Every structure is written in structure tokens, then in C-alpha cells.
Amino acid sequence: MNKSRLLASTPFFFVCFIALTLAGINSLTLGEFEFSWLQVVNNLWLPTENTPSFVIWELRLPRLLTGILAGAALGMAGAIVQSITRNPLGSPSLMGVTSGAAFSIVFSFVFFDFSTSTMLVFGTIGGLLAALLTFSIAWKTHLHPIHLTLAGMCISLFFTAGIIVLLVSANSDTAGMYYWLAGSLANRTWQHVTQLYPYVLLGLILGLSFARPLNLLMLDDVTSRSLGVPVHWWRLTLGITAVLLTAATVAVAGPISFVGLISPHLVRFYFNNQSSKQTKHYSNDHLVLLPCSALVGATLVCCADLLAKYQEMPVGILCILLGGPLFVYLIRRQSL
Amino acid sequence: MSVSVLKVLKTERPKKIALSTGKIKPCLWRFYLTCCCLSLLLLGLTLLSLLYGSADLSSEQVLNALLKSSLGSTEHNVIWNLRLPRTLLAIIIGLHFALSGLILQSVIRNPLADPSVMGVSGGASLAIVAFLLLADVFTGALYAGEITHVSLAWLPLVALIGGITVAALVLRLAWGSGISPTKLALNGVAIGAVLNALVMWTIITWGGGRTETSILWLAGSLYGRDFQHLFSILPWTLFGLLATVVILRPLSILRFDEVLAQSLGLNIMRWRIISITVAVALAASAIAIAGPVGFIGLIVPHMARLFIGNQLGQLVIISALAGASLTLGADILSRLLLNPLELPVGALTTLIGIPVLLFLLQRQPWNSL
């Protein structure tokens, strides 16, 4: 990242980081035991053997970290999908990827009872299949945004109905499944964090190293081909990266939708409202857009989880409630 | 308006909603044949639905229970309290959804219109869940500790209010683009998703003891419905059928473009609102009883057009019959597939309906979205 980019995105980073920290510490104070902020910071800094330390380190911190990782992965995946399809309505959940992954995870859970890592593989396969279905349906329209999104939402509904069929036919205890299906971060442990972070790190690194090709993919196909970009290969690779990121989140935190849709738009909104022309240009520079989206995603999920903690309801629902209106607004702005 | 003009219009095919069928000229024998076939199918399915179930009954036992009322016997109980009301309800609900879909598709001139696609189901569900919970709160506050049951008769009305509100919202949102089919569908699905999230939120946070049953109801199920449910929906069925007959004439003109309809002296806006209200009322009352059984309203009218072409009066009858058959068939399947267990019929119809929706989407000319 060169100097001007860094300068331009510093205030944004700063604000997000502050919000993230505040939400994080606040969510660490909430729960069965109420701690003061000072206690939380102390115990984070110098873990001791007593109860507050245990509660914070073993019960609450994993949840917070899972939220941050999941949010970052989703924000990143959303930004990638929006860029490779050149579609402002793009996001993994609106392409059916989330539901497809959830479906195959439930499938593996019901019929094989696999370990979580196998569930992740299943989730990725399911997500890829769903994405493939969506794209093949919308292919004829050259991936027109409205069309692609509608096809994706239909696929998503289809897999949701499939999940219900699976759960009913499973004949086992599925009450916990319902909660997971609503997208919940409750009761995450360090195990979940260790499962999630390699994928998120890998995804972030992959995404950042592909930032240049992504910039070129924003041009139309003919131009980027003439610049020597193997368009289809980049698209495929990046698409698989996005699906992998999403599937990993679904396996660990359940289907959380709309975060991938909102975060890149928030970043673009910020940069587009800057006065200098140079800064405005960064809203389409992926070296800025991708990390910013990841950060915004993490902040969003953390804040939503904080709100969710007051009522102990699944964070996925809150994300839909936040993202839905924005989605409708974006549809309205789509020209046909 | 003169009769001759109408006659001409009837034979002419409206351009936008003619989908699959254009070449079929409306001819009477085809209509009668389809009618007969569908009636036979419906009859057969009804018998099947009465004969099969988790309790093993021979056909003689079923007949005995139906004809000779031997009160108190197991057969009598199973048939009269479980299978018969359920069968009849499936038929009625199918009819409701099918007619609702047909009316919506004609009024909005949109092949993708359907109560569940337009978010009406979501609105109705939210209204019902909220109403039930509020009723619990109020009665709980008034008569502490007593279990009070809300009268079933209220539910369709509440569902209607919720459905109408959401329909108005979705139509308003999509209006600017001259109601392009795809955009309307996308708006509807998006708002439906938000409403479903709201419903889940309400149930999970305040549901308490009702959580399990609410989730089952939300999936759309005919499990455990009895004559009480049937009677609470019957007035709505009668009203819906009558209203359909009344709006048949204006509706057949509304299918054409606005200028033509206006030049025929029709108050477009008024009839549009009336028709949409009737459609939503039909769907909402069905949802109040059986939960959001999705996509029947989408599939059935297209099926009917495939059979008999595009004449509205005939379409109404065929759609009603086909919708009843489809729902009953799906209900039987949902009972038989996993025999001791039972699938929610709504999940089954969604699994059938989505491929149809995607197929229709594929056929949309994309450059004239």
C-alpha cells in the first residue's frame, strides 16, 4: 500500500477500529456476570487464575473473536463477489452460497455425523454447487444484477426448504440446529476460533494479493482481456476464494447473511463522499476496498452481536434486519 | 362498452402475460376435457387421502366410518376428526392460493406474481405471530394463569391486514419501474426475507411455550387441523369465490395495457385495488389456517394456461381444480414420504415451486426486464 492510499484510509480505519474495540470490550462486560470495563481490561492484560479471568478468556473472548473473524470473512467475500460479478447487489448470501453451504452441512450432520473439519469441506462443496446453479441460471442474461440476485434468492429459498426436509427426516434432536440455522455466535469456544482463523487469514492474504487483478476485472471484459488478464481464470479463483470464506463462516457461526452486502457499500459510501478526487478513486481500488470491507464486516458483526446479547437472540437475524432495508434501497437504485 | 369489442378482446391474446401457450386457441372441448380429468384426479386423490395414513385402515373400514356413523369407534374418530377435515382443508387451501395467484398475475400483468413471491405470506405470518403473542400478553395480564384461546375467526382478518400492508409496500417499491416482473419479484423476496427474520426474532425472544408449534406452523403444515379450522375458513372461501365472479369482467380487461382498459371506460385504479385486495384476502385466510404454503399460486395458473390457453373464465375453474389437486397431492406425499414422520407440506411445495419459478425466470426476455 503506498503512502497516499494509507493516508486516505487512515481515518476510516481508525473509526472502525475504535468502534470495534468499544463494541468488543462492551460485549466482554456483558453476560451472566457483569464486569466493569476496568476489570475486563485488567483481566485481558494479566490473566489470573480466578473466575473473572476464566469467564472472559474461556467463555466470552472466543465468541468475540469468532464474530470478528466471521465478519471479516463475510465482508471480504462480499467485496470480492461484488467485484467479480460487477454487481452492486452481489453477496455470498444473495447468490445462494450461504444456504447451499448450510444445506450440505446439515446433510453431513444428519447422515454422517462428521467432525467439524469435514463439515467445512462439505460446506464448501455445497456452496460451490449453489453458486454454480445460480450462475448457470443467470448466465443467459450475462449476469444481469437483478436477474442474478433473484435467481440466487430463489436457490437460497430452495435450499432452506431442503434443510427443513432434512431436519424433519433426521428424527434426531434438532432443536439446537434451529438456533444454529438462525446464525448464532453463542457458546463458541477456542476450538471454533482455531478452526476459523486459518481460512480467514488465507482468504485475506489471497484477496489482497489479487487486488490488482481485481482492479482490472472491474473494467469490461474486452478491455481487461486486451490488457492480458486471463479474465475467466481470475474470476474462478476469486469466486472459489469467496465461497471458501463463506463456507468457513457458515460452518462455524451458522448462516449470517447480508453482512457481505452491506460492508463494501459502507466503504464505498465513505470514500465517495470525500471531497478530493484522488480519495474518491479509492472506492474502487481493491487494495483499499478489501481490507476496509473486512474491517467493516468485523465491526458490523461485533456490534450486531453486542445488540443480540441484550436479548440473547441469534446475530444472523439482526444482520438481516439491518441489511434488508439497504438491500431494498439498492434494488430501487438499480436501473433496468 | 360494447359487447362486440369485448368479444374481439377475448379472442385476442394479451402480449405480456401469454407465456407458454400462445398457440392454443381457446376451444371448448379442450376445456371440458381438462375439467373432467382434473375432477377425476381430485376425486382419486381425495379417496387416496382418506385411505392412507399412519393408522392402518382397510377400505371397508373407511367406507363404514364414512357412511354409517358409529360414534366412538377408532375408525370413526380417525376419519371424521383427522383425515376428512384435513383432506377438505387441503382442497380449500389449494383453491385459495391458486385463485389468489391467478388474480395477482392478471392484475399486475406479471407472470412471476404469487402471494409468497410478493412477500404477502411473510406479512400475514408476522401479523398472526404478533397477534397471538399480544393476545397472550393481554389475556395473561387480565386472567393470570388461565389459558385462553384466541378465537380462530380473528386470524384470517389479522392476516389480511398484514398481507395488504406488505402488498402495498412491495407494489409501491416496484412501481417506479412500471412494475417490471423481475424487480417486483426481487423486492417481494427481499421484503419477505426481512419479515421472516422479524418473525423468527419474535418467536425466539418472546415465543416461550409457543416456539415449537410456531416453527411448525411457519413451515406450512396441515397437521392436526379439524373441522373448527375448516369452518373458520369457509366464509372466506365463499366470499372469495363470489368476489372472483364479480371481478372477472374487469379483470379480463385489466390484463391488457392501461390505455386500452381506460378507453373501454374502466376505472383502472379502483378495480386494481379491489382485485389485489381479493387476492390477498384469499391468500391471507389460507395462511391463517395452514401457514405459508408457498408457490402454489405461482405454479398453478401457469399449469392451467398450459392446458387450456388464456381465457380468464375458464382459467379460474381450471386453476381452482388444479390448485386443489396439487395441494392435496403434496399433502398426501408429505404424509407418505417418511411414513411415521411427516414433512411440512409447505417445504414440499417450495421444493416443487422454486424450479418452476427459475424456469419462468429463464423465459423472461432479459433485455425487456
Side-chain angles (χ1 to χ4, degrees), chain A residues 212-326:
Chain A
R212 233 184 85 75
L214 266 174
N215 284 346
L216 293 177
L217 280 178
M218 294 292 281
L219 306 168
D220 67 290
D221 279 7
V222 181
T223 320
S224 26
R225 244 190 238 121
S226 67
L227 285 170
V229 184
V231 181
H232 291 303
W233 283 113
W234 284 126
R235 282 226 172 103
L236 198 65
T237 322
L238 285 163
I240 291 176
T241 313
V243 170
L244 197 68
L245 280 170
T246 315
T249 8
V250 174
V252 173
I256 298 176
S257 35
F258 284 108
V259 173
L261 177 77
I262 311 172
S263 344
H265 280 288
L266 282 181
V267 179
R268 284 205 198 98
F269 180 75
Y270 169 77
F271 283 110
N272 282 335
N273 279 356
Q274 293 294 301
S275 49
S276 82
K277 218 169 189 178
Q278 177 72 24
T279 324
K280 268 185 189 169
H281 154 80
Y282 288 137
S283 63
N284 282 324
D285 186 344
H286 287 82
L287 265 181
V288 178
L289 182 64
L290 288 179
C292 282
S293 298
L295 191 61
V296 172
T299 315
L300 270 177
V301 173
C302 265
C303 292
D305 191 41
L306 178 65
L307 285 180
K309 252 189 165 181
Y310 283 107
Q311 289 246 315
E312 203 46 69
M313 71 182 208
V315 66
I317 289 180
L318 213 73
C319 286
I320 297 180
L321 293 185
L322 289 176
L326 180 91

Side-chain angles (χ1 to χ4, degrees), chain B residues 117-337:
Chain B
V117 174
M118 279 178 56
V120 170
S121 305
S125 319
L126 182 61
I128 288 178
V129 169
F131 176 74
L132 285 179
L133 288 177
L134 278 180
D136 270 10
V137 169
F138 278 121
T139 50
L142 289 176
Y143 324 98
E146 266 179 57
I147 302 164
T148 44
H149 290 288
V150 186
S151 164
L152 274 173
W154 283 102
L155 292 184
L157 211 63
V158 176
L160 174 64
I161 295 170
I164 285 275
T165 318
V166 173
L169 179 69
V170 170
L171 285 172
R172 176 76 195 74
L173 281 173
W175 200 264
S177 52
I179 311 203
S180 90
T182 331
K183 220 166 179 180
L184 179 78
L186 192 53
N187 267 312
V189 176
I191 292 202
V194 175
L195 288 169
N196 272 334
L198 273 175
V199 170
M200 284 301 275
W201 182 25
T202 325
I203 290 178
I204 286 181
T205 351
W206 293 291
R210 278 191 194 266
T211 310
E212 288 280 309
T213 43
S214 306
I215 287 179
L216 199 73
W217 176 78
L218 274 180
S221 167
L222 287 167
Y223 175 76
R225 300 293 186 272
D226 54 20
F227 274 108
Q228 206 191 346
H229 294 94
L230 191 63
F231 290 138
S232 64
I233 199 178
L234 265 181
W236 293 83
T237 315
L238 285 179
F239 158 76
L241 285 176
L242 276 179
T244 312
V245 173
V246 171
I247 62 173
L248 207 54
R249 249 314 161 67
L251 204 58
S252 60
I253 301 174
L254 275 177
R255 292 198 297 169
F256 301 98
D257 61 277
E258 273 176 46
V259 183
L260 187 60
Q262 220 147 24
S263 66
L264 285 169
L266 193 74
N267 187 342
I268 298 182
M269 216 48 213
R270 190 176 71 193
W271 283 108
R272 258 198 198 140
I273 291 174
I274 291 176
S275 315
I276 291 177
T277 313
V278 170
V280 173
L282 278 168
S285 50
I287 289 167
I289 301 301
V293 180
F295 295 98
I296 289 174
L298 180 79
I299 314 169
V300 169
H302 287 290
M303 247 164 62
R305 268 184 220 121
L306 210 65
F307 289 148
I308 57 152
N310 217 340
Q311 199 159 8
L312 200 63
Q314 299 178 353
L315 273 181
V316 168
I317 297 170
I318 296 291
S319 289
L321 282 173
S325 312
L326 186 67
T327 319
L328 190 55
D331 187 45
I332 295 173
L333 263 186
S334 74
R335 272 186 285 167
L336 286 186
L337 277 182

Side-chain angles (χ1 to χ4, degrees), chain A residues 9-19 295:
Chain A
S9 46
T10 303
F12 190 77
F13 254 101
F14 192 67
V15 170
C16 278
F17 194 73
I18 294 284
L295 191 61

